[in-house]
Amino acid sequence: MEIKAIGCEPLQLKRMHIENGHTLDVYRQTGGYESLKKAMDMTSDQIIDEVKASALRGRGGAGFPTGMKWSFVPRDSPKPKYIVCNADESEPGTFKDRYLLERDPHALIEGMLIGAFALGVEACYIYYRGEYHYLIDLMNRAIEEAREANLVGKNILGSDFSCEFYTHTGAGAYICGEETALLSSLEGFRGHPRMKPPFPAVEGLYACPTVVNNVETLTSIPQIIEMGGKAWQELGTEKSGGTKLWSVSGHVKKPGVYELPMGYHDMEKFILEDCGGMLRDDKALKACIPGGSSVYAMRADQIIGKDVTLDYEGLVVAGSMVGSGGFIVIDETVDMVDSTRNLTQFYRHESCGWCTPCREGTDWLVKIFDRIWAGGGRPEDAQLILDLCDNIEGKSFCPLGDAAAWAIQGAVKRFPEDFKKHLIHNGN
Amino acid sequence: MATVATDYTNKIEVTDEVAEFPEAVVEEMRSHLGKYPKDRSRSALIPLLFVIQRERGYIDNPGVNFLAQFLDLEVTDIWETATFYSMFNLHPVGKHHIQMCKTLSCKILGEPELTDHICSKLGIKAGETTEDGKFTVTRVECLGSCGTAPMMQIGFDYHENLTKEKLDEIIEGCE
Ligand SMILES: Cc1cc2nc3c(=O)[nH]c(=O)nc-3n(C[C@H](O)[C@H](O)[C@H](O)COP(=O)(O)O)c2cc1C
Ligand code: SF4
Ligand code: FES
């Protein structure tokens, strides 16, 4: 698997190939914790302004501007405040955070410390998906190293800023990546999402002001402070600042984690050259789902010869979304009815069951896909599937329902020839 | 992610028995409480359920009764959380719990053939445990390792870039 930057200096991936890059010593030798020192000489407003100027958008999937999210946290709350790092990483096709957590844990600690200093936070939690158990020990060790160096705990670097770090795991539930479900889970409950508003920035963990940010969002913070928000933004485009990690899997020769400047040109080159091209030379590209499984799949003819730029705006124009940046590359051997059946099973399994449209809708969709796959497809099934998706999208309690609908609608609308092959039987 | 095929007719045995643990394990459990505010000890529930599962093999009723006392919660509070998360096994599983990732990237790179291979090798179907209690095979959703698909997890260990040969080797290496 490849881990490399293309079209930019590695920032997120700076320490990926440095021996012992996960240790405090090497982290410091490569400039680590200098940004924290710099930030501690700045005011809260100055730090938040730099993050705003960076045009950093949350890397967890929703793409919400991070500086704006931070500015929603009340300054003079009598309650304690929290930063929670979302390391749940469960979106199919996404695996970038795992490498950051494994090989650059101090970058996350430093990013969270800068946020904590700016927002007056005294406790940070890192919420891992349960399956990432092996990464917890690594992070706990990094936290202890930082504590010994007076970077975590009481009176950090001799100042009156104190901040504690704790790790926590989930136990197998995709929905716990959704920020409010994550907070329910962190409080020891079932991972059901909560009504918004109030947003976590105002009432989050233990009903206290809480910032929830993705791993990659937080590891970007030290870079932004180091080079200045404006300079970081300029690595990318006006509205999509900086560089971003893309996880690439499926039918390519070189799957991996790639760091690209936002606005990278173009998607065709990225798949067919940078990622080594199609896995089997005689099998052509059929589709790519570019943002983790929860976005519209793109047909090859929406990619090839289409100058698709890789950033938040470019992918929308091209008919999809950045999402979590998980490219799933699919060649012509794959039947999109089969692949969509697979994803429908995923969403049914991961639906938390809280609201009816998503719980029942995904269950019926699986039943329909199973019937089609068993040879009982009917001509009207394509419309039936779209109608069901319509009754989930925008009518569910949280975005998981929308995500399921998008994944399925995209396939039905864009790959009608695959569906037609299966929808032949009349009435049985 | 479902780790065990849930058989709803397979009722959980109800008992008043409370599990006992060596002092070192209780100490470990206490250490988890330290991560959360004093009046928020329920936050430790998931980490503690992992300890119960490790010590007892699965989430059993005596273990749950212990946690209810330990956290001063109702038994139903513990079950409410335990039954939501698919990594908690509500029934015994084999010594080696093989979890094949079945989601899209792993599927299109050969998971179905690998699962068939391992199941026929062990003489069980996905969701079942071998008679000697050594292996359980389940098919689970994306494990965040799609770049090295197809892959699986045994217990907490990741095994990536799988082939039939590699799979055979790993299984034969399981004691
Ligand atoms: C169903 C669902 C699953 C999600 N999974 C993740 C996840 O695994 N990791 C993540 O960082 N964000 C995930 N998110 C997005 C979070 O809700 C939230 O927007 C994010 O953690 C905010 O951080 P950011 O602004 O830094 O991206 C998910 C959202 C939904 C609706
Ligand atoms: S949309 Fe699905 S995941 Fe979200 S609350 Fe409803 S049932 Fe739960
Ligand atoms: S699809 Fe198998 S690890 Fe993601």
Side-chain angles (χ1 to χ4, degrees):
Chain A
M1 209 197 73
E2 298 283 323
I3 300 184
K4 73 174 186 192
I6 298 173
C8 59
E9 285 295 309
L11 283 175
Q12 295 287 358
L13 300 181
K14 186 172 168 186
R15 292 178 196 85
M16 288 292 136
H17 303 292
I18 300 181
E19 206 181 331
N20 294 324
H22 66 284
T23 60
L24 179 60
D25 280 350
V26 176
Y27 186 67
R28 280 189 149 157
Q29 283 157 21
T30 50
Y33 289 112
E34 289 305 316
S35 299
L36 173 66
K37 287 184 195 153
K38 189 169 167 188
M40 286 174 68
D41 285 332
M42 294 162 68
T43 65
S44 299
D45 286 333
Q46 282 170 335
I47 295 172
I48 293 171
D49 284 346
E50 290 301 329
V51 178
K52 281 186 177 161
S54 74
L56 168 62
R57 297 177 57 168
R59 302 300 196 226
F64 193 81
T66 307
M68 203 190 295
K69 184 184 275 189
W70 287 16
S71 69
F72 292 157
V73 175
R75 290 297 168 83
D76 43 7
S77 161
K79 296 178 183 173
K81 297 176 219 174
Y82 298 101
I83 294 181
V84 176
C85 170
N86 188 340
D88 192 61
E89 190 159 68
S90 316
E91 175 79 14
T94 316
F95 46 91
K96 63 189 173 74
D97 294 340
R98 183 173 160 214
Y99 294 95
L100 293 172
L101 294 163
E102 182 183 285
R103 302 192 191 176
D104 208 357
H106 284 285
L108 178 62
I109 297 173
E110 185 175 11
M112 292 179 84
L113 278 169
I114 293 169
F117 179 79
L119 302 173
V121 165
E122 294 191 1
C124 293
Y125 288 93
I126 307 172
Y127 181 105
Y128 286 79
R129 63 176 299 170
E131 295 85 351
Y132 281 180
H133 244 261
Y134 79 102
L135 293 167
I136 294 268
D137 291 342
L138 277 167
M139 185 59 75
N140 285 340
R141 230 173 295 144
I143 293 170
E144 285 319 306
E145 271 185 313
R147 185 188 309 285
E148 280 160 29
N150 190 215
L151 292 158
V152 159
K154 292 246 173 304
N155 302 105
I156 291 169
L157 298 175
S159 70
D160 54 12
F161 165 50
S162 299
C163 187
E164 262 313 324
F165 275 70
Y166 306 104
T167 52
H168 182 99
T169 70
Y174 166 63
I175 188 58
C176 291
E178 194 283 329
E179 56 187 7
T180 60
L182 184 152
L183 296 173
S184 302
S185 177
L186 182 47
E187 292 179 6
F189 292 90
R190 296 166 80 89
H192 290 308
R194 302 172 178 176
M195 185 65 96
K196 292 193 265 194
F199 288 92
V202 180
E203 255 181 58
L205 185 62
Y206 311 131
C208 297
T210 304
V211 165
V212 182
N213 272 139
N214 173 257
V215 176
E216 185 190 347
T217 310
L218 290 163
T219 56
S220 305
I221 300 294
Q223 302 154 22
I224 290 168
I225 297 301
E226 182 189 335
M227 63 171 70
K230 185 82 188 122
W232 195 84
Q233 175 265 310
E234 283 168 357
L235 297 169
T237 68
E238 191 190 333
K239 289 197 183 125
S240 303
T243 65
K244 147 135 202 70
L245 297 180
W246 302 82
S247 316
V248 183
S249 65
H251 291 136
V252 287
K253 282 204 180 65
K254 296 187 209 161
V257 177
Y258 292 90
E259 179 169 9
L260 305 179
M262 281 290 190
Y264 185 80
H265 186 265
D266 70 329
M267 187 167 173
E268 175 184 355
K269 173 180 178 292
F270 181 51
I271 297 173
L272 296 182
E273 293 174 29
D274 302 331
C275 297
M278 299 307 289
L279 181 63
R280 294 168 286 215
D281 290 318
D282 60 339
K283 302 289 183 247
L285 176 69
K286 176 167 184 170
C288 175
I289 314 180
S293 62
S294 300
V295 302
Y296 265 56
M298 295 166 74
R299 295 174 62 97
D301 61 19
Q302 291 177 296
I303 301 166
I304 293 175
K306 287 296 188 309
D307 285 337
V308 178
T309 57
L310 293 176
D311 56 30
Y312 290 95
E313 297 73 38
L315 275 172
V316 170
V317 171
S320 194
M321 287 196 296
V322 166
S324 63
F327 265 58
I328 305 173
V329 179
I330 295 172
D331 77 17
E332 59 186 341
T333 61
V334 174
D335 182 332
M336 296 301 281
V337 174
D338 194 20
S339 66
T340 311
R341 177 168 164 256
N342 178 278
L343 291 180
T344 308
Q345 289 167 346
F346 171 81
Y347 289 104
R348 180 189 59 172
H349 186 264
E350 301 301 339
S351 166
C352 81
W354 180 251
C355 70
T356 313
C358 167
R359 181 188 63 239
E360 302 298 318
T362 53
D363 195 50
W364 279 106
L365 283 160
V366 166
K367 288 192 176 116
I368 294 166
F369 272 98
D370 284 350
R371 171 168 57 72
I372 295 172
W373 198 245
R378 304 166 192 158
E380 61 275 21
D381 280 340
Q383 192 54 48
L384 178 63
I385 292 170
L386 291 177
D387 288 347
L388 266 161
C389 289
D390 257 358
N391 281 310
I392 299 174
E393 187 191 6
K395 300 178 179 75
S396 300
F397 188 75
C398 90
L400 187 143
D402 298 331
W406 295 335
I408 298 166
Q409 286 163 342
V412 177
K413 289 182 188 164
R414 290 186 177 163
F415 300 89
E417 60 284 1
D418 284 17
F419 280 82
K420 259 189 214 123
K421 265 191 300 189
H422 292 277
L423 308 185
I424 39 175
H425 299 280
N426 228 337
N428 58 11
Chain B
M1 253 121 274
T3 42
V4 167
T6 315
D7 178 354
Y8 294 99
T9 59
N10 195 352
K11 288 202 196 102
I12 290 161
E13 213 173 294
V14 180
T15 148
D16 290 332
E17 185 194 335
V18 179
E20 286 177 32
F21 296 97
E23 185 49 33
V25 174
V26 177
E27 198 42 52
E28 177 190 354
M29 293 201 214
R30 271 194 216 106
S31 76
H32 281 293
L33 297 181
K35 299 192 284 187
Y36 315 97
K38 287 221 161 34
D39 55 343
R40 300 289 180 173
S41 55
R42 183 170 177 152
S43 275
L45 187 46
I46 289 177
L48 294 182
L49 281 164
F50 273 117
V51 177
I52 299 286
Q53 178 152 297
R54 188 192 68 212
E55 294 294 314
R56 316 250 334 152
Y58 66 106
I59 305 296
D60 67 346
N61 199 200
V64 166
N65 291 343
F66 174 89
L67 279 189
Q69 292 185 358
F70 190 75
L71 292 173
D72 196 17
L73 291 170
E74 298 299 327
V75 170
T76 47
D77 292 331
I78 315 286
W79 282 123
E80 179 195 337
T81 296
T83 53
F84 184 82
Y85 296 94
S86 49
M87 285 179 80
F88 293 133
N89 302 320
L90 305 180
H91 300 286
V93 291
K95 183 171 172 207
H96 303 284
H97 187 183
I98 302 170
Q99 299 148 85
M100 304 293 297
C101 171
K102 70 180 275 286
T103 314
L104 192 52
S105 300
C106 286
K107 172 193 163 68
I108 64 177
L109 290 170
E111 177 274 334
E113 294 77 39
L114 292 177
T115 301
D116 283 350
H117 177 74
I118 195 162
C119 285
S120 66
K121 191 179 168 92
L122 298 175
I124 53 173
K125 292 206 268 302
E128 293 178 349
T129 302
T130 53
E131 240 162 62
D132 60 2
K134 198 165 162 193
F135 295 102
T136 300
V137 177
T138 47
R139 296 174 76 223
V140 301
E141 300 292 354
C142 180
L143 291 170
S145 187
C146 332
T148 49
M151 61 78 60
M152 67 176 174
Q153 200 171 20
I154 303 185
F156 283 128
D157 297 331
Y158 276 64
H159 299 275
E160 306 169 42
N161 292 313
L162 294 176
T163 57
K164 279 184 191 162
E165 296 69 40
K166 205 165 158 185
L167 205 50
D168 286 339
E169 223 174 276
I170 295 166
I171 299 307
E172 277 146 30
C174 285
E175 305 242 308

